[in-house]
Amino acid sequence: MVEVKLENVVKRFGEVVAVDHVTLKINHGEFFSFLGPSGCGKTTTLRVIAGLEFVDEGKIFFDDADVTSLPPYKRNTGMVFQNYALWPHMSVFDNVAYGLKIRKMRKEEIEKRVKEVLELVKLTGMEKRYPTQLSGGQQQRVALARALVVRPKVLLLDEPLSNLDAKLRVEMREEIKRIQKKLGITAIYVTHDQEEAMVISDRIAVLNQGKVMQIGTPEELYKKPANLFVATFLGRYTLLYGIAKELSPDSKVLVETPDFKIRGIITSPDIKISPGERIVAVVRPHAFKVSRSGEEVNLLEGVVDWISYLGPYYEARLRIGKTDILVSVEPSAKVKVGDILKVFVNEEDVLVFPLTALSESSYIEELRIVE
Amino acid sequence: MASFLSSLKRLRRELDALTLTQLVIVIVILSVFLLLPIFSILFKAFIYEGHFSLTYFWQTFTDPEMIKIPPEWKWIEWTQRYMFYTFPNGTRILIPINTIAIGIDGPDFGYIFNSLYVSLLVMLFASVLGLVAAFIMARYTFPGKNVVRVLLFIPLLATPFVNAYVIGKVFGEGGLLNYFLTEVLRIPFTVVLSGLPAVILIQTLSFFPIVYMNVHSSILNIDPSMEEQAENLGAHGFKLFRSVTFPLSLPGLAAGATLVFVFSMEDLSAPIGLSGAFGDGLHNKLMSFYVFTQFKQAYSLDQVHPSAYVISVLMLTIAAVAFLIIKKYVSLKQYAMLSKGGRWNPRLRRPAILGIIAIILFTIPLVVISSFPQVGVVILSISDWASAGPFPSKLVMGYMRALMENPQVVTAIRNSLTYSGLAIIITLFLGTSAAYVVARRDIPGKEIIDTLATIPIVIPGIIVAVGYLIFFGSLFFNTWMDPFINPGFLLIFTYTVRRSPFLTRSVYAGLQQIHVSLEEASFNLGASRAKTFFSIVIPLIAANVIGGAILSFVYMMNEVSTSLILGSHNPAQGPITFLMSQVIYSSGTVGSVSIAAALGVLLMGLQIIAITLSNYILKQRVAFLGV
């Protein structure tokens, strides 16, 4: 168990800055995720920690030991690769025992440890199989066992579930979490799947273009995104364009859009907005509630324009003047296209950012599409 | 400065024990046994009376034997003879026989331009034949296709000299063709093909499969969806071929055509084989043959005419420039591989009946004519054809038996096996090291290693041999490493250097197929790079190592140019191909050509076994003669 620290880490590939001055600390026994779109530098950051890439600037510490220039084979990390990287010419036993043989352990000790770890990942009895004879989920477990058996200081997982089907993915992520908690090992997990990151992590670092956008617990990231990128990367949302009218000292804002007025909040003290400034507000579909009493703040009324069934709830598009908003609706509300619907939203759920943030965000392409 | 320091730091990190060892192996072998000998030719060619000078170049280029413009332009000669013809009733009359002799006296542009125009024409003809054959084989099904597929590989079976001798035996005055014309068709004229046109014919027939293989694999690598998309947009037939298929197969065509050009330029087999059939003649007036005779006859370097160095430099320059351009071009144009995924369904179609007839009218004559030299070699080896006139008259098993009984032949076989066996051991280290460094390590200047490790495919063997004679002949004068005394030892290294690219490329292809994460997983578990190389990398690419080694070995066994030039300085150490050339070129004793043919059959047998084995091991047909 170890604490991993990155100090001002920079990694360039030619002109591209893959990791851009990343500083962060991962605690003992923590399950920590790097989350971000493809090309954001999350895998590179993980490979830098493993020593498979060397930093151009900055330092990496495992507890107090500076490992920045240690080669990968002297770092004692356990890595699970995206494609599992199981050696096709070795049996399951030989794959798992490899790291122990490198450490020149006695034969009996190797057999004992391999048996234990295969039990842990529920693969007892598969020792003699070859990787090609295993299912995707089983290969995943072998890769995990191979990384764990050497009792690494830190477990590194590079999108380990991306090659599994949806159902198995849910199963395995719970499995990984269970094993990690049982061993109490520090784990660093890379994924582009926000739901996966939310479910599995103690804390998440959201990365974009090599930079850390925000670090926090899943709840913090979802409820209090520090910037527009994080707000739009996690979950579905509606963007509302408008002008900040009244600002109160407790970070509350009255926003005026062409079609209605709405109250919102500024999530972070780092965000500066002045009255009259053009802003964009992010609201999640679930934040809207169908109004019954008609007394709530932020009450909006519109025509249901489109509706889709998502299982536990409906998602409806509500047209208010020229503005469309996405709203989650309970099935019991029995909404149809063409109905007039009144919804309201708590002001803590209307997240206000300056409009300039839009152009600063690499997510702008996607934003335009959603918009 | 900062970037220099950081690249120094990177270099130090990259240079672990394994990489350092591999680099030393590659650099030492390639510099001592390739670069330094070749540079020493430059030294000889450019240094005149102790200082840099272009004197030799001037002398060479103004020599009418070297460059003859205008050429002696009498390449068709028409002569008339008379012969008695006996009617069934016994009356005999004198009838005229016209002989059309092509290429006996010209055109002769001198050594340099002869070589160039021969190589250009061979490249052109081989490209057309190869391209058409490749397109047919890649896109159409027709009856007998599998037979054609196998027969297309037969011309690639090298039977040095003897195949050219067979052509001479067919197109000579009393040869098969003229027997057919006068005795069967009763046409009162004969055709004799000799000189450079005969060289062009022989080389085209034996080299067009190189173009065929490269273009064929290029076409097979085209993602069918690209052609499907074009069809979807309305292109079909020739339009489809011209706008999509042909441009995407250009890298293969360019690579194949370049190789044919260089192979034609450095070929000694055709001129020597034709000399066996016709004696000396214009077919000898080629750069390769000129350099060969200069160095064959010389007992020491002083006896070599300086023009031989100049010609060597010229050939080397042409080959190297062609290789570098084509390498750049092919790597730039590797767009055929852009799309990935899925097993491709080959786009094969069955043409209509007219199409099938056209295909058969093209392919059947092509494979029959182009494989005839190899068939002829077999006939020569088991009959009295060499001495019997147009047809063999009886079976003679003595020539094949000579492979085991004739002491000279046995020695030559043992020499070849020894040199190739030792060379393959060195090649294993050299090839795997070079391929691994180039594929996996981030060493500054590794592009140079990449080039050096593959360029020997196109460097004329004559140049390597000349380089060895100069470099080792002067540096190790009168020692056991002097090629004028003890050429056998150095032949091991010419074989290594010339044929290692087959192994290097095979290993490199293997490395590209295993994901680098398989190695990273091993580092991650604490294994050093050396440990990872031996326990993970080598087992995973074993098939490529073995397959490549088999190919390298068999091409060492039939290596011609260095075997001849170095071998001639100590015939007792001469390998198989050297003995074959001796037998053919100075075919004094009647029937001795047949012994060369028997050796040719032995080489063909080895090649068939090797290619079958390596195809089986590598589980794919490799275009092993590509850039």
Side-chain angles (χ1 to χ4, degrees), chain A residues 47 54 73 77 79 81 83 85-87 89 98 102-103 146, chain B residues 13 517-518 520-527 535-536 539:
Chain A
R47 289 170 61 83
F54 289 95
Y73 44 89
T77 63
M79 181 143 171
F81 289 80
N83 61 356
L86 296 182
W87 299 304
H89 62 299
Y98 186 85
I102 295 290
R103 286 162 178 73
R146 187 177 66 181
Chain B
R13 200 156 45 215
S517 66
L518 292 179
E520 291 175 344
S522 170
F523 305 146
N524 181 254
L525 291 170
S535 60
I536 306 290

PDB file of all heavy atoms in Angstrom, chain A residues 47 54 73 77 79 81 83 85-87 89 98 102-103 146, chain B residues 13 517-518 520-527 535-536 539:
ATOM      1  N   ARG A  47       0.737   5.371 -17.742  1.00  0.00           N
ATOM      2  CA  ARG A  47       1.979   4.743 -18.212  1.00  0.00           C
ATOM      3  C   ARG A  47       3.204   5.438 -17.635  1.00  0.00           C
ATOM      4  O   ARG A  47       4.246   4.803 -17.422  1.00  0.00           O
ATOM      5  CB  ARG A  47       2.023   4.761 -19.746  1.00  0.00           C
ATOM      6  CG  ARG A  47       1.016   3.787 -20.377  1.00  0.00           C
ATOM      7  CD  ARG A  47       0.891   3.983 -21.868  1.00  0.00           C
ATOM      8  NE  ARG A  47       2.162   3.760 -22.562  1.00  0.00           N
ATOM      9  CZ  ARG A  47       2.610   2.556 -22.906  1.00  0.00           C
ATOM     10  NH1 ARG A  47       1.891   1.500 -22.635  1.00  0.00           N
ATOM     11  NH2 ARG A  47       3.750   2.421 -23.504  1.00  0.00           N
ATOM     12  N   PHE A  54       8.645   7.905 -19.925  1.00  0.00           N
ATOM     13  CA  PHE A  54       9.396   8.721 -18.993  1.00  0.00           C
ATOM     14  C   PHE A  54       8.999  10.179 -19.136  1.00  0.00           C
ATOM     15  O   PHE A  54       8.751  10.652 -20.246  1.00  0.00           O
ATOM     16  CB  PHE A  54      10.895   8.534 -19.190  1.00  0.00           C
ATOM     17  CG  PHE A  54      11.342   7.188 -18.728  1.00  0.00           C
ATOM     18  CD1 PHE A  54      11.453   6.144 -19.615  1.00  0.00           C
ATOM     19  CD2 PHE A  54      11.589   6.956 -17.378  1.00  0.00           C
ATOM     20  CE1 PHE A  54      11.843   4.879 -19.182  1.00  0.00           C
ATOM     21  CE2 PHE A  54      11.966   5.705 -16.936  1.00  0.00           C
ATOM     22  CZ  PHE A  54      12.092   4.659 -17.841  1.00  0.00           C
ATOM     23  N   TYR A  73      10.645  -2.076 -14.634  1.00  0.00           N
ATOM     24  CA  TYR A  73      10.795  -3.334 -13.911  1.00  0.00           C
ATOM     25  C   TYR A  73      11.326  -3.165 -12.499  1.00  0.00           C
ATOM     26  O   TYR A  73      11.494  -4.122 -11.765  1.00  0.00           O
ATOM     27  CB  TYR A  73      11.638  -4.337 -14.713  1.00  0.00           C
ATOM     28  CG  TYR A  73      12.880  -3.782 -15.351  1.00  0.00           C
ATOM     29  CD1 TYR A  73      14.081  -3.759 -14.660  1.00  0.00           C
ATOM     30  CD2 TYR A  73      12.858  -3.308 -16.659  1.00  0.00           C
ATOM     31  CE1 TYR A  73      15.230  -3.264 -15.252  1.00  0.00           C
ATOM     32  CE2 TYR A  73      13.997  -2.812 -17.258  1.00  0.00           C
ATOM     33  CZ  TYR A  73      15.184  -2.786 -16.548  1.00  0.00           C
ATOM     34  OH  TYR A  73      16.312  -2.291 -17.137  1.00  0.00           O
ATOM     35  N   THR A  77       4.881  -2.045  -9.749  1.00  0.00           N
ATOM     36  CA  THR A  77       3.465  -1.738  -9.910  1.00  0.00           C
ATOM     37  C   THR A  77       2.831  -2.953 -10.568  1.00  0.00           C
ATOM     38  O   THR A  77       3.525  -3.758 -11.176  1.00  0.00           O
ATOM     39  CB  THR A  77       3.260  -0.530 -10.838  1.00  0.00           C
ATOM     40  OG1 THR A  77       3.756  -0.857 -12.137  1.00  0.00           O
ATOM     41  CG2 THR A  77       3.971   0.694 -10.319  1.00  0.00           C
ATOM     42  N   MET A  79       0.152  -3.862 -13.404  1.00  0.00           N
ATOM     43  CA  MET A  79      -0.654  -3.180 -14.416  1.00  0.00           C
ATOM     44  C   MET A  79      -1.554  -4.175 -15.127  1.00  0.00           C
ATOM     45  O   MET A  79      -1.133  -5.268 -15.487  1.00  0.00           O
ATOM     46  CB  MET A  79       0.272  -2.498 -15.427  1.00  0.00           C
ATOM     47  CG  MET A  79      -0.468  -1.732 -16.498  1.00  0.00           C
ATOM     48  SD  MET A  79       0.411  -0.214 -16.915  1.00  0.00           S
ATOM     49  CE  MET A  79      -0.490   0.352 -18.332  1.00  0.00           C
ATOM     50  N   PHE A  81      -3.555  -4.347 -18.575  1.00  0.00           N
ATOM     51  CA  PHE A  81      -3.592  -3.628 -19.839  1.00  0.00           C
ATOM     52  C   PHE A  81      -4.976  -3.703 -20.473  1.00  0.00           C
ATOM     53  O   PHE A  81      -5.736  -4.642 -20.234  1.00  0.00           O
ATOM     54  CB  PHE A  81      -2.566  -4.208 -20.809  1.00  0.00           C
ATOM     55  CG  PHE A  81      -1.154  -3.898 -20.419  1.00  0.00           C
ATOM     56  CD1 PHE A  81      -0.514  -4.631 -19.429  1.00  0.00           C
ATOM     57  CD2 PHE A  81      -0.466  -2.854 -21.026  1.00  0.00           C
ATOM     58  CE1 PHE A  81       0.776  -4.337 -19.054  1.00  0.00           C
ATOM     59  CE2 PHE A  81       0.830  -2.564 -20.660  1.00  0.00           C
ATOM     60  CZ  PHE A  81       1.456  -3.300 -19.669  1.00  0.00           C
ATOM     61  N   ASN A  83      -5.783  -4.446 -23.454  1.00  0.00           N
ATOM     62  CA  ASN A  83      -5.984  -5.676 -24.237  1.00  0.00           C
ATOM     63  C   ASN A  83      -5.554  -6.910 -23.442  1.00  0.00           C
ATOM     64  O   ASN A  83      -5.315  -7.955 -24.008  1.00  0.00           O
ATOM     65  CB  ASN A  83      -5.234  -5.587 -25.552  1.00  0.00           C
ATOM     66  CG  ASN A  83      -3.738  -5.428 -25.335  1.00  0.00           C
ATOM     67  OD1 ASN A  83      -3.287  -5.315 -24.192  1.00  0.00           O
ATOM     68  ND2 ASN A  83      -2.952  -5.447 -26.386  1.00  0.00           N
ATOM     69  N   ALA A  85      -2.975  -8.190 -22.572  1.00  0.00           N
ATOM     70  CA  ALA A  85      -1.567  -8.549 -22.791  1.00  0.00           C
ATOM     71  C   ALA A  85      -1.207  -9.885 -22.166  1.00  0.00           C
ATOM     72  O   ALA A  85      -0.144 -10.044 -21.573  1.00  0.00           O
ATOM     73  CB  ALA A  85      -0.642  -7.432 -22.280  1.00  0.00           C
ATOM     74  N   LEU A  86      -2.098 -10.858 -22.278  1.00  0.00           N
ATOM     75  CA  LEU A  86      -1.754 -12.202 -21.803  1.00  0.00           C
ATOM     76  C   LEU A  86      -0.831 -12.839 -22.832  1.00  0.00           C
ATOM     77  O   LEU A  86      -1.037 -12.686 -24.028  1.00  0.00           O
ATOM     78  CB  LEU A  86      -3.016 -13.055 -21.653  1.00  0.00           C
ATOM     79  CG  LEU A  86      -4.011 -12.558 -20.610  1.00  0.00           C
ATOM     80  CD1 LEU A  86      -5.188 -13.519 -20.533  1.00  0.00           C
ATOM     81  CD2 LEU A  86      -3.356 -12.407 -19.257  1.00  0.00           C
ATOM     82  N   TRP A  87       0.170 -13.573 -22.353  1.00  0.00           N
ATOM     83  CA  TRP A  87       1.116 -14.185 -23.275  1.00  0.00           C
ATOM     84  C   TRP A  87       0.516 -15.458 -23.844  1.00  0.00           C
ATOM     85  O   TRP A  87       0.275 -16.428 -23.109  1.00  0.00           O
ATOM     86  CB  TRP A  87       2.436 -14.446 -22.577  1.00  0.00           C
ATOM     87  CG  TRP A  87       3.033 -13.171 -22.094  1.00  0.00           C
ATOM     88  CD1 TRP A  87       3.312 -12.070 -22.840  1.00  0.00           C
ATOM     89  CD2 TRP A  87       3.380 -12.831 -20.745  1.00  0.00           C
ATOM     90  NE1 TRP A  87       3.833 -11.073 -22.056  1.00  0.00           N
ATOM     91  CE2 TRP A  87       3.892 -11.510 -20.768  1.00  0.00           C
ATOM     92  CE3 TRP A  87       3.343 -13.508 -19.536  1.00  0.00           C
ATOM     93  CZ2 TRP A  87       4.334 -10.862 -19.625  1.00  0.00           C
ATOM     94  CZ3 TRP A  87       3.788 -12.872 -18.402  1.00  0.00           C
ATOM     95  CH2 TRP A  87       4.270 -11.553 -18.452  1.00  0.00           C
ATOM     96  N   HIS A  89       1.654 -17.836 -25.489  1.00  0.00           N
ATOM     97  CA  HIS A  89       2.428 -19.081 -25.473  1.00  0.00           C
ATOM     98  C   HIS A  89       2.555 -19.661 -24.067  1.00  0.00           C
ATOM     99  O   HIS A  89       3.248 -20.633 -23.853  1.00  0.00           O
ATOM    100  CB  HIS A  89       3.809 -18.849 -26.083  1.00  0.00           C
ATOM    101  CG  HIS A  89       4.647 -17.843 -25.328  1.00  0.00           C
ATOM    102  ND1 HIS A  89       4.272 -16.530 -25.161  1.00  0.00           N
ATOM    103  CD2 HIS A  89       5.832 -17.969 -24.704  1.00  0.00           C
ATOM    104  CE1 HIS A  89       5.206 -15.893 -24.474  1.00  0.00           C
ATOM    105  NE2 HIS A  89       6.145 -16.748 -24.178  1.00  0.00           N
ATOM    106  N   TYR A  98       4.643 -15.822 -13.750  1.00  0.00           N
ATOM    107  CA  TYR A  98       5.793 -15.165 -14.373  1.00  0.00           C
ATOM    108  C   TYR A  98       6.503 -14.189 -13.436  1.00  0.00           C
ATOM    109  O   TYR A  98       7.720 -14.277 -13.227  1.00  0.00           O
ATOM    110  CB  TYR A  98       5.332 -14.458 -15.645  1.00  0.00           C
ATOM    111  CG  TYR A  98       6.435 -13.854 -16.465  1.00  0.00           C
ATOM    112  CD1 TYR A  98       7.136 -14.619 -17.381  1.00  0.00           C
ATOM    113  CD2 TYR A  98       6.767 -12.504 -16.351  1.00  0.00           C
ATOM    114  CE1 TYR A  98       8.141 -14.080 -18.156  1.00  0.00           C
ATOM    115  CE2 TYR A  98       7.769 -11.945 -17.116  1.00  0.00           C
ATOM    116  CZ  TYR A  98       8.460 -12.731 -18.017  1.00  0.00           C
ATOM    117  OH  TYR A  98       9.455 -12.178 -18.784  1.00  0.00           O
ATOM    118  N   ILE A 102      10.312 -14.329 -11.877  1.00  0.00           N
ATOM    119  CA  ILE A 102      11.286 -13.242 -12.027  1.00  0.00           C
ATOM    120  C   ILE A 102      11.874 -12.898 -10.664  1.00  0.00           C
ATOM    121  O   ILE A 102      13.063 -12.615 -10.539  1.00  0.00           O
ATOM    122  CB  ILE A 102      10.595 -11.983 -12.623  1.00  0.00           C
ATOM    123  CG1 ILE A 102      10.098 -12.259 -14.037  1.00  0.00           C
ATOM    124  CG2 ILE A 102      11.529 -10.788 -12.597  1.00  0.00           C
ATOM    125  CD1 ILE A 102      11.151 -12.420 -15.071  1.00  0.00           C
ATOM    126  N   ARG A 103      11.036 -12.960  -9.645  1.00  0.00           N
ATOM    127  CA  ARG A 103      11.509 -12.644  -8.292  1.00  0.00           C
ATOM    128  C   ARG A 103      12.202 -13.820  -7.642  1.00  0.00           C
ATOM    129  O   ARG A 103      12.495 -13.805  -6.449  1.00  0.00           O
ATOM    130  CB  ARG A 103      10.324 -12.173  -7.445  1.00  0.00           C
ATOM    131  CG  ARG A 103       9.879 -10.761  -7.798  1.00  0.00           C
ATOM    132  CD  ARG A 103       8.481 -10.447  -7.293  1.00  0.00           C
ATOM    133  NE  ARG A 103       8.089  -9.074  -7.598  1.00  0.00           N
ATOM    134  CZ  ARG A 103       7.757  -8.624  -8.825  1.00  0.00           C
ATOM    135  NH1 ARG A 103       7.781  -9.460  -9.847  1.00  0.00           N
ATOM    136  NH2 ARG A 103       7.413  -7.365  -9.013  1.00  0.00           N
ATOM    137  N   ARG A 146      -2.520 -11.811 -12.548  1.00  0.00           N
ATOM    138  CA  ARG A 146      -1.100 -11.695 -12.849  1.00  0.00           C
ATOM    139  C   ARG A 146      -0.524 -10.412 -12.255  1.00  0.00           C
ATOM    140  O   ARG A 146       0.621 -10.373 -11.801  1.00  0.00           O
ATOM    141  CB  ARG A 146      -0.914 -11.702 -14.370  1.00  0.00           C
ATOM    142  CG  ARG A 146       0.524 -11.752 -14.797  1.00  0.00           C
ATOM    143  CD  ARG A 146       0.649 -11.836 -16.297  1.00  0.00           C
ATOM    144  NE  ARG A 146       0.168 -10.614 -16.946  1.00  0.00           N
ATOM    145  CZ  ARG A 146       0.147 -10.446 -18.266  1.00  0.00           C
ATOM    146  NH1 ARG A 146       0.562 -11.417 -19.060  1.00  0.00           N
ATOM    147  NH2 ARG A 146      -0.296  -9.327 -18.803  1.00  0.00           N
TER     148      ARG A 146
ATOM    149  N   ARG B  13      18.856   5.776 -21.168  1.00  0.00           N
ATOM    150  CA  ARG B  13      17.792   4.929 -20.655  1.00  0.00           C
ATOM    151  C   ARG B  13      17.482   3.792 -21.626  1.00  0.00           C
ATOM    152  O   ARG B  13      17.185   2.684 -21.236  1.00  0.00           O
ATOM    153  CB  ARG B  13      16.547   5.783 -20.423  1.00  0.00           C
ATOM    154  CG  ARG B  13      15.569   5.182 -19.479  1.00  0.00           C
ATOM    155  CD  ARG B  13      14.727   6.258 -18.855  1.00  0.00           C
ATOM    156  NE  ARG B  13      14.271   7.216 -19.852  1.00  0.00           N
ATOM    157  CZ  ARG B  13      14.125   8.506 -19.611  1.00  0.00           C
ATOM    158  NH1 ARG B  13      14.401   8.993 -18.427  1.00  0.00           N
ATOM    159  NH2 ARG B  13      13.681   9.313 -20.536  1.00  0.00           N
ATOM    160  N   SER B 517       2.343  -4.273 -25.737  1.00  0.00           N
ATOM    161  CA  SER B 517       1.926  -4.425 -24.341  1.00  0.00           C
ATOM    162  C   SER B 517       2.299  -5.797 -23.786  1.00  0.00           C
ATOM    163  O   SER B 517       2.422  -5.963 -22.581  1.00  0.00           O
ATOM    164  CB  SER B 517       0.418  -4.192 -24.208  1.00  0.00           C
ATOM    165  OG  SER B 517      -0.296  -5.199 -24.875  1.00  0.00           O
ATOM    166  N   LEU B 518       2.493  -6.788 -24.673  1.00  0.00           N
ATOM    167  CA  LEU B 518       2.922  -8.100 -24.177  1.00  0.00           C
ATOM    168  C   LEU B 518       4.305  -7.998 -23.538  1.00  0.00           C
ATOM    169  O   LEU B 518       4.599  -8.704 -22.577  1.00  0.00           O
ATOM    170  CB  LEU B 518       2.945  -9.118 -25.323  1.00  0.00           C
ATOM    171  CG  LEU B 518       1.588  -9.503 -25.899  1.00  0.00           C
ATOM    172  CD1 LEU B 518       1.750 -10.496 -27.030  1.00  0.00           C
ATOM    173  CD2 LEU B 518       0.693 -10.087 -24.823  1.00  0.00           C
ATOM    174  N   GLU B 520       5.488  -4.976 -22.361  1.00  0.00           N
ATOM    175  CA  GLU B 520       5.345  -4.055 -21.227  1.00  0.00           C
ATOM    176  C   GLU B 520       4.818  -4.774 -20.005  1.00  0.00           C
ATOM    177  O   GLU B 520       5.205  -4.480 -18.875  1.00  0.00           O
ATOM    178  CB  GLU B 520       4.417  -2.907 -21.626  1.00  0.00           C
ATOM    179  CG  GLU B 520       5.054  -1.999 -22.660  1.00  0.00           C
ATOM    180  CD  GLU B 520       4.111  -0.918 -23.180  1.00  0.00           C
ATOM    181  OE1 GLU B 520       2.889  -1.039 -22.979  1.00  0.00           O
ATOM    182  OE2 GLU B 520       4.603   0.031 -23.794  1.00  0.00           O
ATOM    183  N   ALA B 521       3.914  -5.748 -20.225  1.00  0.00           N
ATOM    184  CA  ALA B 521       3.389  -6.499 -19.091  1.00  0.00           C
ATOM    185  C   ALA B 521       4.530  -7.215 -18.380  1.00  0.00           C
ATOM    186  O   ALA B 521       4.528  -7.350 -17.152  1.00  0.00           O
ATOM    187  CB  ALA B 521       2.349  -7.502 -19.571  1.00  0.00           C
ATOM    188  N   SER B 522       5.513  -7.654 -19.155  1.00  0.00           N
ATOM    189  CA  SER B 522       6.646  -8.353 -18.561  1.00  0.00           C
ATOM    190  C   SER B 522       7.553  -7.397 -17.778  1.00  0.00           C
ATOM    191  O   SER B 522       7.981  -7.700 -16.658  1.00  0.00           O
ATOM    192  CB  SER B 522       7.431  -9.062 -19.663  1.00  0.00           C
ATOM    193  OG  SER B 522       8.643  -9.555 -19.172  1.00  0.00           O
ATOM    194  N   PHE B 523       7.824  -6.207 -18.354  1.00  0.00           N
ATOM    195  CA  PHE B 523       8.605  -5.204 -17.600  1.00  0.00           C
ATOM    196  C   PHE B 523       7.886  -4.885 -16.299  1.00  0.00           C
ATOM    197  O   PHE B 523       8.474  -4.786 -15.231  1.00  0.00           O
ATOM    198  CB  PHE B 523       8.762  -3.883 -18.366  1.00  0.00           C
ATOM    199  CG  PHE B 523       9.344  -4.016 -19.731  1.00  0.00           C
ATOM    200  CD1 PHE B 523       8.932  -3.167 -20.743  1.00  0.00           C
ATOM    201  CD2 PHE B 523      10.302  -4.974 -20.003  1.00  0.00           C
ATOM    202  CE1 PHE B 523       9.464  -3.283 -22.013  1.00  0.00           C
ATOM    203  CE2 PHE B 523      10.836  -5.093 -21.273  1.00  0.00           C
ATOM    204  CZ  PHE B 523      10.410  -4.243 -22.276  1.00  0.00           C
ATOM    205  N   ASN B 524       6.579  -4.721 -16.423  1.00  0.00           N
ATOM    206  CA  ASN B 524       5.773  -4.326 -15.276  1.00  0.00           C
ATOM    207  C   ASN B 524       5.882  -5.343 -14.140  1.00  0.00           C
ATOM    208  O   ASN B 524       5.802  -4.996 -12.977  1.00  0.00           O
ATOM    209  CB  ASN B 524       4.319  -4.178 -15.738  1.00  0.00           C
ATOM    210  CG  ASN B 524       3.415  -3.748 -14.621  1.00  0.00           C
ATOM    211  OD1 ASN B 524       2.646  -4.530 -14.112  1.00  0.00           O
ATOM    212  ND2 ASN B 524       3.538  -2.500 -14.195  1.00  0.00           N
ATOM    213  N   LEU B 525       6.090  -6.614 -14.514  1.00  0.00           N
ATOM    214  CA  LEU B 525       6.197  -7.645 -13.490  1.00  0.00           C
ATOM    215  C   LEU B 525       7.633  -7.835 -13.028  1.00  0.00           C
ATOM    216  O   LEU B 525       7.946  -8.777 -12.318  1.00  0.00           O
ATOM    217  CB  LEU B 525       5.631  -8.961 -14.017  1.00  0.00           C
ATOM    218  CG  LEU B 525       4.112  -8.910 -14.202  1.00  0.00           C
ATOM    219  CD1 LEU B 525       3.620 -10.134 -14.939  1.00  0.00           C
ATOM    220  CD2 LEU B 525       3.419  -8.799 -12.853  1.00  0.00           C
ATOM    221  N   GLY B 526       8.528  -6.947 -13.478  1.00  0.00           N
ATOM    222  CA  GLY B 526       9.870  -6.961 -12.927  1.00  0.00           C
ATOM    223  C   GLY B 526      10.941  -7.580 -13.811  1.00  0.00           C
ATOM    224  O   GLY B 526      12.078  -7.733 -13.381  1.00  0.00           O
ATOM    225  N   ALA B 527      10.573  -7.959 -15.040  1.00  0.00           N
ATOM    226  CA  ALA B 527      11.574  -8.580 -15.904  1.00  0.00           C
ATOM    227  C   ALA B 527      12.346  -7.514 -16.664  1.00  0.00           C
ATOM    228  O   ALA B 527      11.758  -6.562 -17.166  1.00  0.00           O
ATOM    229  CB  ALA B 527      10.904  -9.529 -16.887  1.00  0.00           C
ATOM    230  N   SER B 535      12.233 -14.585 -22.921  1.00  0.00           N
ATOM    231  CA  SER B 535      11.107 -15.412 -22.467  1.00  0.00           C
ATOM    232  C   SER B 535       9.777 -15.035 -23.112  1.00  0.00           C
ATOM    233  O   SER B 535       8.866 -15.847 -23.146  1.00  0.00           O
ATOM    234  CB  SER B 535      10.984 -15.347 -20.938  1.00  0.00           C
ATOM    235  OG  SER B 535      10.768 -14.024 -20.530  1.00  0.00           O
ATOM    236  N   ILE B 536       9.655 -13.815 -23.622  1.00  0.00           N
ATOM    237  CA  ILE B 536       8.380 -13.414 -24.236  1.00  0.00           C
ATOM    238  C   ILE B 536       8.541 -13.224 -25.747  1.00  0.00           C
ATOM    239  O   ILE B 536       7.835 -13.831 -26.536  1.00  0.00           O
ATOM    240  CB  ILE B 536       7.859 -12.088 -23.616  1.00  0.00           C
ATOM    241  CG1 ILE B 536       7.762 -12.196 -22.102  1.00  0.00           C
ATOM    242  CG2 ILE B 536       6.525 -11.691 -24.243  1.00  0.00           C
ATOM    243  CD1 ILE B 536       6.682 -13.101 -21.588  1.00  0.00           C
ATOM    244  N   PRO B 539       9.911 -16.520 -28.054  1.00  0.00           N
ATOM    245  CA  PRO B 539       8.897 -17.567 -28.274  1.00  0.00           C
ATOM    246  C   PRO B 539       7.751 -17.097 -29.174  1.00  0.00           C
ATOM    247  O   PRO B 539       7.249 -17.876 -29.975  1.00  0.00           O
ATOM    248  CB  PRO B 539       8.375 -17.867 -26.868  1.00  0.00           C
ATOM    249  CG  PRO B 539       9.438 -17.427 -25.947  1.00  0.00           C
ATOM    250  CD  PRO B 539      10.138 -16.281 -26.616  1.00  0.00           C
TER     251      PRO B 539
END
